[in-house]
């Protein structure tokens, strides 16, 4: 898997053959919410199990925090934000195992407000604070030998400030010489962004609901991808950029593809696995589509195996789907 493109033949009951294209990024978001978590043995174990599922790229996601949705300051939390040393340790181990690495900083709000809905009282001050974060993590991405830097994640309410983002992208390119993208929230968020020309790829966190059924078949889910595929094709044609899912994930619960009763629906490994299979079948034929970084693989060993209804595929049927497709 580390020596080049992974190509897998799959044939369904209709005789259709499915292949993972050579340009596909088989990625996973490796999450951590404790200062040293990326440097602990549990993180090394997570890297090994992700590799066994054919993963070829890990995105490290250090999170900084705003006090309220109106705050203008973004700060690391000494009790929660992964330290630079732990991020670098995870990057070293990932490289040793043959992974590519991405650095993908997140911003959360302490009261639980979605990061895409923040409304800082002073936008100029917020961008100044966020610019310090970009400067810091772009330099860290360079030190870590990362291939990709994600300059923003799901910051929908701030993404209309095009001039500020162009300045941030220019600033990041002075510190980091790899690929740079932005992780828009859903296709809707990507369609609203006006600075894709300054980036190397169109990044999307692809949690759009698929239909309304709690237990659809794989074929039904593939059909539900159709309208989103058409819109992504239009995005690609408008900007001339390939599209990458910087996040895509499903809980192991009934209704997960339709995003029904998230966090509370009955546990179902099959529902999660079917959603994974449908995503591969719907997206791998698209020549403009770059790949998927699945959400999530936990560096802290959270959400593993049967009995857990969370997003992690580790130890569940969805991991078998990953292995079948990726390596």
């Amino acid at each position: 898997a580390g020596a080049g493109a992974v190509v897998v033949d799959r044939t369904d009951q209709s005789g259709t053959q499915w292949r993972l294209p050579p340009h596909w990024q088989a990625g996973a978001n490796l999450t951590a919410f404790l200062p040293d978590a990326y440097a602990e043995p549990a993180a090394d174990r997570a890297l090994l199990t992700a590799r066994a599922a054919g993963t070829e790229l890990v995105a490290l996601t250090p999170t900084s925090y705003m006090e309220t949705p109106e705050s203008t300051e973004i700060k690391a939390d000494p009790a929660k934000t992964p330290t630079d040393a732990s991020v670098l340790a995870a990057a070293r181990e990932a490289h040793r195992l043959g992974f590519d690495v991405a650095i993908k900083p997140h911003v959360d709000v302490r009261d639980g407000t979605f990061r895409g809905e923040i409304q800082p009282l002073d936008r100029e001050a917020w961008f100044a604070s966020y610019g310090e974060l970009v400067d810091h993590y772009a330099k860290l991405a360079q030190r870590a030998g990362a291939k990709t830097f994600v300059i923003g994640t799901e910051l929908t309410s701030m993404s209309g400030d095009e001039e500020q983002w162009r300045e941030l992208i220019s600033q990041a390119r002075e510190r980091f010489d790899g690929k740079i993208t932005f992780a828009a929230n859903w296709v809707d968020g990507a369609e609203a962004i006006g600075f894709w020309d300054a980036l190397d790829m169109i990044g999307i966190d692809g949690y759009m609901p698929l239909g309304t059924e709690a237990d659809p078949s794989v074929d039904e889910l593939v059909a539900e991808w159709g309208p989103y595929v058409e819109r992504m094709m239009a995005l690609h044609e408008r900007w001339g950029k390939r599209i990458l899912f910087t996040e895509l994930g499903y809980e192991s619960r009934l209704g997960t593809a339709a995003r029904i009763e998230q966090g509370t629906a009955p546990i179902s490994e099959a529902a999660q696995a079917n959603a994974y299979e449908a995503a591969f079948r719907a997206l791998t034929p698209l020549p403009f589509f770059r790949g998927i970084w699945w959400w999530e693989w936990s560096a802290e060993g959270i959400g593993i195996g049967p009995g857990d209804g969370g997003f992690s595929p580790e130890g569940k049927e969805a991991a078998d789907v990953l292995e079948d497709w990726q390596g």
Side-chain angles (χ1 to χ4, degrees):
V6 181
V7 180
V8 177
D9 285 321
R10 295 171 62 84
T11 304
D12 65 13
Q13 292 180 349
S14 69
T16 302
Q17 287 192 337
W18 309 93
R19 299 169 66 88
L20 200 63
H23 60 260
W24 189 270
Q25 284 190 5
N29 285 267
L30 185 68
T31 57
F33 298 95
L34 292 171
D36 298 320
Y38 278 136
E40 297 291 336
D44 295 344
R45 181 209 55 77
L47 287 169
L48 286 170
T49 57
R51 193 67 171 143
T55 306
E56 296 183 316
L57 177 146
V58 287
L60 308 179
T61 62
T63 301
S64 300
Y65 295 87
M66 297 169 57
E67 291 296 329
T68 71
E70 294 80 26
S71 297
T72 59
E73 191 173 21
I74 305 158
K75 294 191 287 188
D77 183 336
K80 299 174 72 175
T81 304
T83 65
D84 290 355
S86 74
V87 171
L88 291 171
R92 285 193 299 271
E93 180 63 10
H95 283 133
R96 189 185 72 80
L97 293 172
F99 288 100
D100 287 335
V101 172
I103 302 296
K104 181 170 168 279
H106 288 197
V107 174
D108 278 350
V109 186
R110 292 189 185 277
D111 67 2
T113 298
F114 173 50
R115 64 178 70 96
E117 298 173 350
I118 61 173
Q119 293 294 340
L121 294 176
D122 185 334
R123 295 177 79 87
E124 184 177 346
W126 185 91
F127 272 106
S129 182
Y130 192 74
E132 294 177 3
L133 181 148
V134 167
D135 187 73
H136 178 84
Y137 283 111
K139 290 178 179 176
L140 188 66
Q142 186 71 17
R143 289 174 61 196
K147 291 287 185 71
T148 306
F149 177 61
V150 181
I151 200 166
T153 299
E154 299 174 350
L155 294 168
T156 306
S157 60
M158 307 302 292
S159 64
D161 297 65
E162 184 176 330
E163 181 180 347
Q164 287 88 338
W165 284 104
R166 290 185 181 275
E167 290 177 0
L168 288 173
I169 294 164
S170 177
Q171 171 185 324
R173 291 203 185 278
E174 293 176 1
R175 281 106 175 124
F176 178 69
D177 59 14
K179 302 291 187 183
I180 301 178
T181 189
F182 180 95
N185 190 48
W186 296 20
V187 173
D188 310 55
E191 290 170 332
I193 286 175
F195 50 86
W196 289 122
D197 58 300
L199 294 163
D200 297 297
M201 297 169 286
I202 295 173
I204 299 175
D205 287 1
Y207 297 101
M208 300 80 66
L210 301 175
T212 60
E213 299 298 319
D215 193 19
S217 69
V218 171
D219 287 343
E220 288 170 333
L221 290 173
V222 171
E224 292 290 347
W225 272 107
Y228 297 121
V229 167
E230 291 180 4
R231 291 166 65 186
M232 288 190 292
M233 184 178 297
L235 267 172
H236 164 69
E237 291 174 349
R238 176 184 176 189
W239 295 101
K241 305 284 183 180
R242 281 184 171 177
I243 292 176
L244 169 74
F245 273 3
T246 40
E247 289 181 26
L248 178 63
Y250 299 98
E251 294 178 306
S252 45
R253 295 181 184 275
L254 287 176
T256 185
R259 312 298 176 184
I260 298 172
E261 298 178 15
Q262 295 188 77
T264 61
I267 290 173
S268 171
E269 289 187 42
Q272 183 187 42
N274 285 346
Y276 271 57
E277 179 71 24
F280 278 116
R281 293 192 188 186
L283 302 173
T284 51
L286 307 178
F288 61 84
F289 198 82
R290 192 72 175 88
I292 299 172
W293 299 354
W294 290 99
W295 184 273
E296 64 179 315
W297 225 271
S298 172
E300 297 163 27
I302 297 171
I304 298 174
D308 178 85
F311 280 89
S312 174
E314 188 177 354
K316 303 174 186 176
E317 292 176 21
D320 296 332
V321 176
L322 290 175
E323 186 174 353
D324 286 345
W325 275 92
Q326 295 182 164

